[in-house]
């Protein structure tokens, strides 16, 4: 079996691709649980799994070019009362990464800047660089043609509430520019997540576009909440239906396959799955932090209580690397902050059920 380690890029071509985690599990003979990805601890919903399996029998047909009925079902999930009005601003993609690239490709040329955090998901920067934008640092006070903010921020756990988020957009995007706000982890917030999200701000988005020409795109990767990273499933909410059609014109046909569409169509109505997520993830997250704090009182833990991961500053490159190596050796890989983020004292670990955390804690005790 091939080998890999935290010091290399595994299957990634470092000269051509942006490093991403979630690969180590395939190289482990003793795999127990993947703590390196921010997927839901409850695993793939049974409703989606069954729908996916059933859909395979139709895979000798093309998927629907209009992405229906999954698109309408997702619209109903996002806007229960207004989905018929809002649906025309929504389009699905082969993971959020495809849509990130499509939106940035059609954005006006110029400068690009990230959100105000220490670091964030790198696909936005990769796409901006590939499309010849001049990259501004997060701390720049200059407004940019395109600004991209991940909120809640993966991996740092930083979070801007709506009033602050809206002000950040206005302070950092040039008139006529684009704001891409990634809310992939926002649905973890609570049953009231919509009220805390830009999806509830249609009037604001329309006014911003009408008065300043600023286009706000709300990005979602659905592969973390519903634990289906292998299916590749994302969406973007556009400022207007015209923006959606501009993306559709660029998007290759049948971007989202039959299995992914069937999965999405099923899970959006799986209320029981979401309610146990909202109920248990904060509890398990707190328990994991408490257990790690007892072993490593010098470690610092970052992120809001509802998030599906913990961003940990070990305070030491050696400590972080030892934790990474021990976790991997025990079949419970964690994400290193070194590749991709260039933060070698940090590790990121997913929230998991206590029985799986036992294996991680057992491995890390060798550091004490």
């Amino acid at each position: 079996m091939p080998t890999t380690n935290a010091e290399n890029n595994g299957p990634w071509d470092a000269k051509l691709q942006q490093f991403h985690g979630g690969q180590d599990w395939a190289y482990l003979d003793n795999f127990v649980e993947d703590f390196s990805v921010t997927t839901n601890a409850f695993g793939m919903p049974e409703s989606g799994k069954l729908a996916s399996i059933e859909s395979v029998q139709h895979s000798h047909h093309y998927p629907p070019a209009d992405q229906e009925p999954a698109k309408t079902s997702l619209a109903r999930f996002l806007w229960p009362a207004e989905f018929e009005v809002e649906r025309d601003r929504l389009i699905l993609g082969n993971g959020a990464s495809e849509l990130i690239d499509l939106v940035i490709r059609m954005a006006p040329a110029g400068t690009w800047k990230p959100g105000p955090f220490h670091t964030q998901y790198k696909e936005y920067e990769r796409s901006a660089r590939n499309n010849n934008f001049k990259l501004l640092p997060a701390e720049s006070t200059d407004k940019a043609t395109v600004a991209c903010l991940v909120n809640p921020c993966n991996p740092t756990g930083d979070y801007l509430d709506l009033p602050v988020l809206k002000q950040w957009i206005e302070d950092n995007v040039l008139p006529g520019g684009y704001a891409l706000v990634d809310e992939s982890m926002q649905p973890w917030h609570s049953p009231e997540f919509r009220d805390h999200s830009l999806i509830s701000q249609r009037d604001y988005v329309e006014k911003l576009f009408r008065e300043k020409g600023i286009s706000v795109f709300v990005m979602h990767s659905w592969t973390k909440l519903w634990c289906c990273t292998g299916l590749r499933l994302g969406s973007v909410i556009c400022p207007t239906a015209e923006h959606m059609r501009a993306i559709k014109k660029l998007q290759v046909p049948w971007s989202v396959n039959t299995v992914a569409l069937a999965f999405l169509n099923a899970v959006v109505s799986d209320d029981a799955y979401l309610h146990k997520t909202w109920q248990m993830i904060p509890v398990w997250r707190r328990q994991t932090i408490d257990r790690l704090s007892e072993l490593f009182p010098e470690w610092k833990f970052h992120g809001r209580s509802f998030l599906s991961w913990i961003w940990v500053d070990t305070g030491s490159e050696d400590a972080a690397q030892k934790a990474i190596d021990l976790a991997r050796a025990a079949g419970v890989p964690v994400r290193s902050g070194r590749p991709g983020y260039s933060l070698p004292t940090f590790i990121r670990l997913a929230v998991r059920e206590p029985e799986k955390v036992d294996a991680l804690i057992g491995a890390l005790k060798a550091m004490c």
Side-chain angles (χ1 to χ4, degrees):
M1 179 174 287
T3 59
T4 184
N5 60 60
E7 290 299 314
N8 65 35
N9 289 316
W12 296 95
D13 186 332
K15 295 180 179 179
L16 301 176
Q17 296 176 300
Q18 172 62 48
F19 176 83
H20 195 287
Q23 302 291 311
D24 280 357
W25 71 272
Y27 297 86
L28 301 178
D29 292 327
N30 62 337
F31 176 69
V32 176
E33 180 61 68
D34 193 353
F35 282 84
S36 74
V37 292
T38 57
T39 50
N40 197 317
F42 287 104
M44 182 179 284
E46 194 65 20
S47 59
K49 186 183 300 184
L50 293 174
S52 299
I53 294 170
E54 174 68 19
S55 73
V56 171
Q57 67 176 311
H58 303 297
S59 293
H60 60 297
H61 298 295
Y62 284 104
D66 61 0
Q67 305 176 333
E68 295 292 359
K71 177 178 171 179
T72 293
S73 296
L74 179 61
R76 185 181 285 108
F77 171 78
L78 293 169
W79 305 281
E82 300 89 18
F83 73 93
E84 291 180 312
V85 176
E86 302 284 12
R87 178 178 49 203
D88 288 344
R89 297 194 294 131
L90 178 68
I91 189 169
L92 310 181
N94 187 256
S97 295
E98 181 202 19
L99 297 168
I100 291 167
D101 196 63
L102 286 171
V103 173
I104 290 180
R105 267 199 272 159
M106 72 181 207
T111 54
W112 174 92
K113 71 186 299 185
F117 311 127
H118 197 185
T119 190
Q120 67 179 28
Y121 181 57
K122 289 293 185 177
E123 277 300 302
Y124 294 92
E125 181 178 332
R126 179 202 63 79
S127 183
R129 183 181 291 108
N130 285 351
N131 286 280
N132 300 312
F133 282 83
K134 178 183 178 182
L135 306 186
L136 302 177
E139 61 272 16
S140 172
T141 57
D142 293 338
K143 293 186 176 184
T145 313
V146 178
C148 299
L149 170 68
V150 181
N151 190 56
C153 183
N154 194 353
T156 68
D158 291 296
Y159 181 65
L160 301 184
D161 292 315
L162 263 180
V164 180
L165 172 59
K166 290 157 70 173
Q167 190 61 55
W168 185 88
I169 293 171
E170 294 181 48
D171 290 344
N172 287 278
V173 183
L174 288 166
Y178 277 23
L180 280 67
V181 181
D182 189 322
E183 291 194 345
S184 295
M185 311 311 291
Q186 181 70 28
W188 299 78
H189 184 285
S190 67
E192 293 75 40
F193 77 89
R194 299 170 185 85
D195 297 334
H196 299 269
S197 164
L198 276 174
I199 67 175
S200 69
Q201 300 296 304
R202 180 189 178 103
D203 290 346
Y204 167 77
V205 170
E206 287 183 343
K207 181 179 179 182
L208 200 59
F209 181 65
R210 182 175 64 252
E211 295 183 356
K212 298 184 178 181
I214 294 175
S215 301
V216 177
F217 297 84
V218 183
M219 318 294 302
H220 287 99
S221 168
W222 297 111
T223 61
K224 305 305 193 307
L225 180 65
W226 286 307
C227 199
C228 61
T229 52
L231 290 183
R232 313 308 308 134
L233 191 59
S235 66
V236 59
I237 302 163
C238 303
T240 68
E242 288 72 24
H243 286 83
M244 187 278 291
R245 286 191 283 271
I247 295 175
K248 193 171 186 177
K249 184 177 180 180
L250 290 177
Q251 188 180 44
V252 298
W254 311 296
S255 173
V256 187
N257 64 59
T258 297
V259 176
L261 289 171
F263 176 90
L264 179 62
N265 195 52
V267 295
V268 290
S269 58
D270 193 337
D271 295 336
Y273 181 87
L274 286 178
H275 281 289
K276 68 181 180 182
T277 297
W278 292 321
Q279 179 181 20
M280 294 309 303
I281 295 302
V283 174
W284 290 347
R285 190 178 192 278
R286 182 70 260 169
Q287 290 174 350
T288 303
I289 291 175
D290 289 344
R291 295 180 70 180
L292 289 171
S293 296
E294 290 181 9
L295 292 177
F296 310 105
E298 71 280 11
W299 287 12
K300 296 180 180 178
F301 304 91
H302 301 273
R304 291 290 183 99
S305 62
F306 61 85
L307 295 176
S308 64
W309 76 93
I310 307 166
W311 182 236
V312 184
D313 187 357
T314 68
S316 160
E317 292 187 32
D318 290 341
Q321 191 59 54
K322 190 170 184 181
I324 292 160
D325 293 340
L326 287 169
R328 187 175 184 278
V332 285
V334 300
R335 173 72 186 267
S336 170
R338 184 191 300 273
Y341 298 119
S342 301
L343 295 171
T345 71
F346 283 83
I347 60 174
R348 189 191 68 190
L349 52 101
V351 174
R352 293 292 183 255
E353 60 185 307
E355 291 77 10
K356 299 294 178 62
V357 176
D358 288 344
L360 177 63
I361 295 293
L364 298 182
K365 282 183 177 178
M367 297 176 62
C368 299

